[in-house]
């Protein structure tokens, strides 16, 4: 299955520069907004807020989200590739990323509600 990491710099939102990790899952792109580049999770867990799903067409999106639309600002593809879903339960997802920059075993762990952490697996 495919994934993309989009570096997103919204102009008007409380969330500043962040990295949207989007993974093909359940026929949509399940998405977590990461506070740091995902590779930083090798050093320490990275806060990851689950946000709205996107449709699969968004895998290739980069460019400018126009003024007046949610997330208005710039989006650049930071990495893309495939991943293997190793295990998935309600509060934990184990992943093997095979991107150009994001490689290796990671885990997403739910802290509470939509708050998760991305950590080294
Ligand atoms: Mn975003």
């Amino acid at each position: 299955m495919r994934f993309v990491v989009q570096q997103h710099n919204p102009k008007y939102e409380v969330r500043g520069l962040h990295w949207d990790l989007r993974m093909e899952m359940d026929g949509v792109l399940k998405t977590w907004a990461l506070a740091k580049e995902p590779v930083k999770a090798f050093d320490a867990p990275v806060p990851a807020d689950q946000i709205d799903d996107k449709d699969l067409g968004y895998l290739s999106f980069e460019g400018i989200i126009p003024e007046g639309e949610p997330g208005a600002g710039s989006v650049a593809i930071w990495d893309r590739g495939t991943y293997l879903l190793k295990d998935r339960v309600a509060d934990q997802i184990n992943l093997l990323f095979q991107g150009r920059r994001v490689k290796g075993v990671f885990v997403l762990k739910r802290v509470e509600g939509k708050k998760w952490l991305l950590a080294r697996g």
Side-chain angles (χ1 to χ4, degrees), residues 11-30:
K11 287 174 74 174
Y12 305 112
E13 295 185 1
V14 174
R15 195 192 305 281
L17 178 65
H18 62 275
W19 288 261
D20 288 315
L21 168 63
R22 304 187 191 276
M23 294 181 284
E24 195 174 10
M25 201 179 278
D26 305 335
V28 295
L29 295 175
K30 294 287 180 192

Side-chain angles (χ1 to χ4, degrees), residues 56-85:
L56 297 178
Y58 213 75
L59 269 170
S60 56
F61 177 77
E62 63 182 341
I64 301 297
I65 302 173
E67 306 273 330
E69 292 188 14
S74 64
V75 176
I77 292 178
W78 186 86
D79 197 12
R80 63 191 303 180
T82 59
Y83 77 97
L84 296 176
L85 185 59

